[in-house]
Amino acid sequence: MRSLEIERLARSFADTAVAFLGLVENLQIAQWEQPTIEDGRPIGTIAHHVALGYAIGTWRIVAAQSGYPQPLQLSTADERNAAHAAATPSPDRAITVMLLRTGGASLEAGIRSLRPSQLEIQITIGAFKETIATLVESCRNHILEHDATIRKSIGV
């Protein structure tokens, strides 16, 4: 039987991912290329960054479920974001939308595959220790953070 907490986490993530996908799908071409007001990365690069976050989140959940260590993070978030922006200054919009759609569904499935007893497993990511439940919440919060950035940048 599926846990109510796992269902809540999965539904909360999925609802947030679907809303973000809708925001991105409705961007005009000029908005896609527009720099964000917070750090100047193009909005399309931010959308692509979120899609990559889905893949990383899915991998982290699978690793945690399997007892594998989390990947090492040899740089800061700012350094990783700058490297991503430099490598993908103008990501393909159609591919990014597809990655958001499929990656969001994959991460939701990963969340739903958790057993209730796994939610409190401690994992180490860089210098931080957190639970799998906290990891799932941070995946949702990551979307919300970038959703807010995009909305501020386009004046919505």
Side-chain angles (χ1 to χ4, degrees):
M1 181 165 96
R2 182 171 289 142
S3 152
L4 291 177
E5 180 62 5
I6 290 171
E7 181 61 30
R8 182 194 70 75
L9 289 167
R11 176 61 21 223
S12 180
F13 170 81
D15 290 347
T16 303
V18 166
F20 185 79
L21 176 63
L23 171 65
V24 170
E25 286 179 317
N26 288 312
L27 292 170
Q28 302 299 316
I29 300 275
Q31 292 172 320
W32 181 260
E33 297 168 355
Q34 179 180 329
T36 60
I37 61 172
E38 292 183 5
D39 66 11
R41 289 183 286 171
I43 288 174
T45 299
I46 297 293
H48 190 265
H49 164 85
V50 171
L52 290 179
Y54 293 168
I56 293 166
T58 301
W59 192 93
R60 287 189 183 287
I61 287 173
V62 170
Q65 284 179 309
S66 304
Y68 292 123
Q70 296 294 310
L72 293 176
Q73 293 183 340
L74 302 176
S75 58
T76 67
D78 287 341
E79 291 168 337
R80 291 189 305 275
N81 290 344
H84 173 258
T88 54
S90 184
D92 183 275
R93 184 181 170 139
I95 291 172
T96 301
V97 167
M98 187 246 339
L99 290 171
L100 286 168
R101 184 175 287 112
T102 58
S106 179
L107 183 46
E108 179 187 356
I111 295 165
R112 290 184 187 284
S113 74
L114 291 165
R115 293 186 311 273
S117 62
Q118 292 175 313
L119 291 177
E120 296 308 315
I121 291 175
Q122 291 281 321
I123 57 175
T124 301
I125 300 175
F128 303 99
K129 286 191 180 277
E130 62 183 35
T131 65
I132 293 177
T134 304
L135 168 65
V136 170
E137 290 285 357
S138 69
C139 290
R140 177 181 172 272
N141 292 339
H142 184 244
I143 303 167
L144 291 171
E145 171 189 341
H146 291 301
D147 185 279
T149 296
I150 290 172
R151 289 180 188 281
K152 285 182 205 171
S153 298
I154 63 173
V156 176

